[in-house]
Amino acid sequence: MGGAVCKLSSKINQQVKRRSSGCKYTCHPQCRDRVSLDCHQNGSATDGPHSPLSQDHVNNNQDTHADVEKERELRTHFSREEIQHKVNLYNVATRDHLKMTLHPNGIYTGFIKVQLELRRPITVRGGGAAGPGGVRSSSSGGGGGEEAFHLPRGSVNTLHVSSTNTVRQVIEALLNKFTMADNPAKFALFKRCRREEQVYVCKLSEQEQPLFLRLQAGPNTDTLSFVLREQQTGEVMWDAFSIPELANFLRILDKEEQDHFSAITHRYDNYRQKLEEALKAVGGPG
């Protein structure tokens, strides 16, 4: 039996020793005609240009080109000529007449749309100025003419900004537009991008410039859009809230604690009742 195994192993080794002289690819002799290679020796290809390896090389070139394009998108500065070219392309592509303007000092101005996705009510100075669709909260705790409003989720607002305006300034402009008394630190601006049927949401740093991102992406909001949300840092910044807001939080926490306590008490009362019924059924001590 051992001799048969050795003979079979020797036969396989002889077959595997068929190699390409260029790339040292090994295969069985009977499989050679089914293999297409793109190995090079002394600068010449041993097989045709349409081999699988040749196609992989083309794909690699395409990937490299895509990486270059991606790197280009990450640039944070353009020359004046590049800006002028992009502004012209943007104005041709826009369909809502919200065009950009390049000024002689190199600063360009334009419009961005920001979608509001706020879960908590906002505090409005003077009351009644929460904007279209604003709903007054029944638990208004503001003093000195301040009232709490729930803004409709998904409403979109348009701001006229310049290329020098940062994310922090855009957030402050939105708050001023709604006469909101809330601390700007309570909010964050996100960008929503769509690539290959996938939607990505990324928080912007306070020093980024939204209009620059808008110019890069073009006017299509499916490609890039801006969203205002509450901060999602995981750590509550209590100093960003007013005294009436903090008092409301305490009342909500007290109510949640009482509800949770009542639920636990009711649950164990049911357990006690079922245990007592089971003991009576088996004739235990009652």
Side-chain angles (χ1 to χ4, degrees):
M1 180 67 181
V5 172
C6 292
K7 290 181 181 179
L8 179 60
S9 175
S10 176
K11 184 176 181 181
I12 292 175
N13 289 333
Q14 290 176 359
Q15 291 177 333
V16 171
K17 287 182 180 179
R18 292 295 183 92
R19 295 185 177 184
S20 166
S21 59
C23 63
K24 307 304 180 183
Y25 181 86
T26 60
C27 68
H28 296 96
Q30 62 268 29
C31 299
R32 178 63 185 88
D33 294 336
R34 302 191 185 100
V35 177
S36 179
L37 299 176
D38 187 33
C39 50
H40 291 74
Q41 186 178 20
N42 298 328
S44 61
T46 59
D47 281 296
H50 299 291
S51 64
L53 285 179
S54 178
Q55 184 61 40
D56 289 341
H57 183 66
V58 173
N59 292 336
N60 288 336
N61 287 339
Q62 292 175 349
D63 293 339
T64 302
H65 179 71
D67 291 340
V68 171
E69 290 297 323
K70 183 177 181 180
E71 182 68 24
R72 187 176 300 169
E73 290 179 1
L74 296 176
R75 291 172 56 188
T76 59
H77 178 74
F78 290 116
S79 66
R80 181 179 176 83
E81 291 74 18
E82 289 175 317
I83 293 175
Q84 182 66 69
H85 179 66
K86 286 184 173 292
V87 167
N88 292 339
L89 293 178
Y90 184 96
N91 291 338
V92 170
T94 186
R95 294 292 180 266
D96 52 12
H97 306 292
L98 300 179
K99 299 181 182 297
M100 291 193 186
T101 303
L102 177 60
H103 301 278
N105 59 359
I107 296 175
Y108 52 96
T109 56
F111 298 86
I112 61 171
K113 295 180 179 180
V114 181
Q115 185 174 359
L116 305 180
E117 293 184 357
L118 304 179
R119 296 172 296 173
R120 299 190 293 264
I122 62 172
T123 304
V124 180
R125 293 187 297 269
V135 180
R136 181 176 298 179
S137 173
S138 59
S139 59
S140 173
E146 295 182 356
E147 295 189 44
F149 282 83
H150 287 273
L151 284 176
R153 199 172 164 86
S155 59
V156 178
N157 269 265
T158 302
L159 291 176
H160 186 258
V161 298
S162 77
S163 56
T164 61
N165 290 137
T166 62
V167 165
R168 179 61 178 253
Q169 292 172 329
V170 167
I171 294 176
E172 292 174 350
L174 276 172
L175 301 188
N176 291 332
K177 186 173 183 178
F178 286 102
T179 64
M180 292 168 58
D182 299 82
N183 192 323
K186 292 164 57 176
F187 305 94
L189 193 66
F190 293 77
K191 65 176 180 179
R192 179 185 288 138
C193 305
R194 181 184 298 274
R195 295 178 182 174
E196 298 179 356
E197 304 302 324
Q198 295 292 328
V199 177
Y200 304 90
V201 179
C202 177
K203 179 183 174 182
L204 298 174
S205 67
E206 290 191 349
Q207 298 306 315
E208 290 191 75
Q209 298 163 330
L211 192 63
F212 177 81
L213 300 177
R214 180 80 278 163
L215 180 64
Q216 281 186 301
N220 190 351
T221 54
D222 288 336
T223 305
L224 172 71
S225 59
F226 298 105
V227 181
L228 183 71
R229 295 177 178 175
E230 288 91 353
Q231 285 278 10
Q232 299 177 350
T233 59
E235 180 180 352
V236 179
M237 296 178 293
W238 298 112
D239 57 344
F241 295 90
S242 64
I243 297 299
E245 287 177 319
L246 295 175
N248 282 336
F249 291 157
L250 287 176
R251 284 193 290 269
I252 292 172
L253 289 174
D254 288 340
K255 184 179 183 304
E256 290 180 350
E257 182 180 8
Q258 185 61 40
D259 292 343
H260 188 60
F261 178 79
S262 299
I264 293 177
T265 303
H266 180 69
R267 177 183 176 186
Y268 281 93
D269 284 344
N270 288 337
Y271 284 162
R272 178 184 294 275
Q273 181 181 354
K274 291 179 180 179
L275 283 173
E276 291 176 350
E277 292 175 353
L279 287 173
K280 289 180 181 180
V282 298

